[in-house]
Amino acid sequence: MKQIWLSVCLLTGSLLHSNIASAQPASGAILQQMSSASRSLNYELAYISISKQGIDSLRYRHAVFDKQPLGQLLHMDGPRREVLQRGGGISYFEPGLEPFTLSGDHIVDAMPAIVFADFDYLAKYYDFISVGRTRISDRSCDVFRIVARDGSRYSYVVWMDTETKLPLRVDLLDRDGETLEQYRVISVLVGDQVKNLMKGLLEANLPPLLTLPAAENVKLAWNTGWLPEGVNEVARNRRKLPNVAEPVESRLFSDGLFSFSVNVSPSGNNVGQQFYRQGRRTIQTEIRNGNEITVVGELPPSTAKRIADSISFKVSAQ
């Protein structure tokens, strides 16, 4: 199978009060406050990220100067790895790599995607369920579940600071309720002290913006017959991969919360259906009519298979 790259510990509910409620529109409005607070407040979060691959400890700082956001994500263990945000530029500093800057409105590596989500859009396809209140890092939290109505995606449980609306814990669950990933805050600092710590970033010498190739209007001879509700195509391309003779055609899809790609290329063998899952990411491959179809991304295996099975190819005119 060609390798195509796209870029869990605690059970939920064990410490919750018994204040369980059904899905409510008001819950979406409260969750939207989390997104707004994460973009507008001056704060520092020290947290751990737990997944099947291990435990990482990180520190995230955010401040706003004259409507310009500043951010810093620092890996606290091992070689120094850092991501900085100044305005609409996200700069990456990794050991052994030349620093570079990409365009973006927030550091996507910092916190789970649900934190910066557009809940007004997601409300069409997800239920937001108020679960109750509990404590995280000695702070009162409101707890919500975010579940896709069609059952085709993973779900989230979010613990949101009642006072600041910042996320203090986020669990990503598979459809069996197993925790795939967990983000858990250890300490919180909010206020001008964080703004003073970030002030030096205003004058920092950051690497230049990396220029990406302009998107091409690529016409592809295949389509997806089925997609989860709310999923849209956001990009497509045709590219050559190292050591691969034929180009790979790809479509990138997202519902604003989860992303995946569908990749099609001529098959060089007759290997049948294969799938691999690591944490939130699934790779589903099948061979059909001389084509290799690979679905890669943040999907349950059964959803990835249904998408791969739905691919149809246009018949060439004779």
Side-chain angles (χ1 to χ4, degrees):
M1 176 177 61
K2 298 186 181 80
Q3 293 185 354
I4 303 174
W5 172 253
L6 181 73
S7 326
V8 262
C9 293
L10 303 175
L11 293 175
T12 61
S14 58
L15 299 177
L16 302 182
H17 298 306
S18 58
N19 239 357
I20 300 195
S22 59
Q24 305 171 25
S27 298
I30 296 173
L31 287 165
Q32 192 67 50
Q33 293 178 35
M34 177 181 66
S35 180
S36 298
S38 298
R39 296 174 187 269
S40 63
L41 295 181
N42 303 312
Y43 62 93
E44 175 186 292
L45 301 175
Y47 66 95
I48 56 174
S49 177
I50 307 170
S51 68
K52 300 295 185 182
Q53 287 70 53
I55 301 175
D56 294 317
S57 57
L58 305 100
R59 186 188 70 206
Y60 179 64
R61 288 174 176 165
H62 180 273
V64 180
F65 285 84
D66 297 326
K67 298 184 179 181
Q68 177 178 232
L70 301 179
Q72 181 201 42
L73 173 68
L74 181 66
H75 291 258
M76 303 296 285
D77 300 324
R80 186 179 179 90
R81 299 165 56 200
E82 187 175 21
V83 184
L84 299 176
Q85 175 184 11
R86 187 170 64 197
I90 312 296
S91 301
Y92 291 82
F93 300 85
E94 296 272 353
L97 296 176
E98 191 72 22
F100 62 93
T101 299
L102 297 175
S103 296
D105 64 356
H106 64 272
I107 300 176
V108 296
D109 318 64
M111 290 185 282
I114 190 70
V115 173
F116 300 103
D118 180 352
F119 290 95
D120 290 336
Y121 176 78
L122 293 179
K124 304 172 188 176
Y125 311 105
Y126 287 79
D127 286 327
F128 308 137
I129 305 167
S130 176
V131 180
R133 282 191 174 180
T134 187
R135 288 171 62 250
I136 295 288
S137 298
D138 198 28
R139 300 177 71 94
S140 175
C141 292
D142 296 297
V143 188
F144 299 90
R145 290 187 62 212
I146 294 93
V147 183
R149 293 196 186 106
D150 65 3
S152 64
R153 279 150 285 188
Y154 300 128
S155 62
Y156 278 101
V157 181
V158 175
W159 286 254
M160 184 178 67
D161 189 339
T162 303
E163 178 183 355
T164 66
K165 308 306 180 186
L166 292 172
L168 297 187
R169 174 174 164 181
V170 178
D171 286 9
L172 176 67
L173 309 180
D174 68 11
R175 295 197 296 181
D176 296 324
E178 179 185 357
T179 305
L180 299 175
E181 295 179 5
Q182 183 183 103
Y183 153 95
R184 188 169 187 135
V185 169
I186 305 301
S187 67
V188 184
L189 179 63
V190 180
D192 289 341
Q193 181 178 349
V194 180
K195 193 170 184 178
N196 293 333
L197 291 171
M198 295 291 287
K199 194 172 184 178
L201 184 53
L202 290 170
E203 306 299 329
N205 184 22
L206 299 178
L209 183 68
L210 188 65
T211 302
L212 299 177
E216 300 179 5
N217 185 18
V218 179
K219 294 184 178 181
L220 306 179
W222 52 274
N223 287 301
T224 52
W226 178 85
L227 293 170
E229 294 180 2
V231 167
N232 297 299
E233 181 180 325
V234 296
R236 64 171 64 182
N237 62 57
R238 181 184 293 111
R239 67 193 187 279
K240 292 292 292 291
L241 295 179
N243 304 318
V244 178
E246 299 291 340
V248 176
E249 298 180 345
S250 300
R251 299 176 192 255
L252 177 64
F253 298 92
S254 178
D255 66 355
L257 192 54
F258 298 106
S259 301
F260 62 92
S261 67
V262 180
N263 309 274
V264 174
S265 63
S267 173
N269 55 60
N270 294 317
V271 175
Q273 177 178 292
Q274 301 180 56
F275 97 92
Y276 173 74
R277 172 182 162 187
Q278 184 177 47
R280 68 161 62 204
R281 291 181 175 83
T282 294
I283 301 175
Q284 173 75 39
T285 298
E286 64 177 61
I287 306 298
R288 193 187 321 145
N289 299 330
N291 293 293
E292 181 177 284
I293 303 166
T294 305
V295 179
V296 183
E298 303 164 326
L299 294 170
S302 60
T303 301
K305 183 180 187 307
R306 184 174 177 184
I307 294 170
D309 290 344
S310 77
I311 300 298
S312 61
F313 295 87
K314 297 177 183 178
V315 178
S316 302
Q318 298 297 321

